[in-house]
Amino acid sequence: MKKIGMLVAVEMDAVLGRYGTAKSVENRHGFEMHQYDMGAYELYVLRSGAGEIAAAAAAELLIDRYEVEMIVNFGVVGGLTAEMGQTKTCVVERVVHYDFDTSEYDKCLPGQYMGYEDEYLYPSPALIDKAVALCPELKRVTCASADKFVAGEAAKSALHQRWDADICEMEAAAVVLTCDRAQVPCLLIKTVSDGLTQGGEDFGTALADTSALCLEVADRIIREL
């Protein structure tokens, strides 16, 4: 039976609301894993918490301990352009870890990991194409990812202008980098909770509804993969 991993940062209430009580729940290395039997596949849902370090550890645990064949990361994000307003749902085509910078030492570009061609990390193109075929309303986007909650028009516009990014959040770079190095395909589905001029208060207010909306789209895609 196919094993699919789902990595969640802070949107676990949406998972419990949609899927209910798990077949089993296991605590391992500080993470709580919920296993669901979905008939054609087993779904392993792991809540990482916020941030790149936690997300990398959680992704590695899904791959190494639970031997998932792919990872889906859904969640809420900040919008960096007027187009990416609240409740806009998108599929991440590329990610930049914008606060990673070793250029002073190795002459790589800011955001670029040694051994990679440029400063962007790329989720599975095949999964992205399948997601868009199933949900044509999804916009393909660039995600700016780092350990910082970004709020307000000035900061968000600066990220867009520097990296050509459409959305921002705090886990995508870790998920994509970990999956790429393990040669496990990944798919990132995101919904905007706070638009260009908004911030933390708007994120908190919209979290429940946007999480549920994002998971609804992600679940529709997973069932057809």
Side-chain angles (χ1 to χ4, degrees):
M1 184 181 293
K2 181 182 291 186
K3 294 182 176 182
I4 297 177
M6 178 178 284
L7 194 149
V8 181
V10 296
E11 299 87 357
M12 196 65 194
D13 285 348
V15 173
L16 298 175
R18 173 165 286 270
Y19 299 129
T21 303
K23 174 183 176 182
S24 66
V25 178
E26 181 180 16
N27 291 292
R28 184 172 290 270
H29 303 312
F31 295 105
E32 190 173 82
M33 192 284 301
H34 294 244
Q35 180 185 357
Y36 293 90
D37 185 350
M38 308 299 285
Y41 59 92
E42 291 181 331
L43 184 65
Y44 294 81
V45 184
L46 196 152
R47 177 179 179 174
S48 66
E52 305 287 356
I53 295 173
E60 184 62 35
L61 184 61
L62 282 170
I63 294 167
D64 189 53
R65 171 66 178 84
Y66 300 106
E67 299 180 330
V68 300
E69 299 167 50
M70 62 175 286
I71 289 180
V72 176
N73 172 225
F74 88 92
V76 299
V77 297
L80 301 182
T81 68
E83 180 187 4
M84 299 305 296
Q86 197 175 63
T87 73
K88 181 82 169 182
T89 301
C90 48
V91 57
V92 176
E93 194 164 45
R94 62 179 188 171
V95 180
V96 59
H97 192 180
Y98 64 88
D99 68 349
F100 180 81
D101 186 355
T102 59
S103 59
E104 180 65 26
Y105 163 68
D106 57 23
K107 308 309 177 185
C108 285
L109 296 170
Q112 182 181 10
Y113 282 84
M114 188 175 290
Y116 286 78
E117 292 184 359
D118 58 32
E119 60 266 58
Y120 295 98
L121 303 167
Y122 298 88
S124 170
L127 290 180
I128 293 169
D129 289 343
K130 288 180 181 179
V132 174
L134 290 166
C135 300
E137 70 275 13
L138 290 176
K139 178 179 173 59
R140 298 171 185 253
V141 299
T142 297
C143 175
S145 187
D147 283 321
K148 180 179 181 179
F149 189 98
V150 182
E153 185 171 3
K156 290 184 173 183
S157 293
L159 272 184
H160 170 67
Q161 292 166 10
R162 173 63 180 86
W163 302 104
D164 194 28
D166 306 281
I167 60 172
C168 62
E169 52 85 84
M170 297 175 61
E171 295 81 33
V175 175
V176 178
L177 183 65
T178 302
C179 287
D180 183 64
R181 289 177 169 174
Q183 298 185 333
V184 171
C186 66
L187 177 69
L188 283 65
I189 304 295
K190 304 289 184 178
T191 299
V192 176
S193 58
D194 49 296
L196 177 60
T197 62
Q198 297 175 310
E201 184 176 348
D202 304 282
F203 169 86
T205 300
L207 177 60
D209 289 343
T210 49
S211 297
L213 174 61
C214 192
L215 181 55
E216 179 182 350
V217 175
D219 181 69
R220 193 190 331 162
I221 294 167
I222 292 169
R223 291 180 185 273
E224 298 296 330
L225 290 176

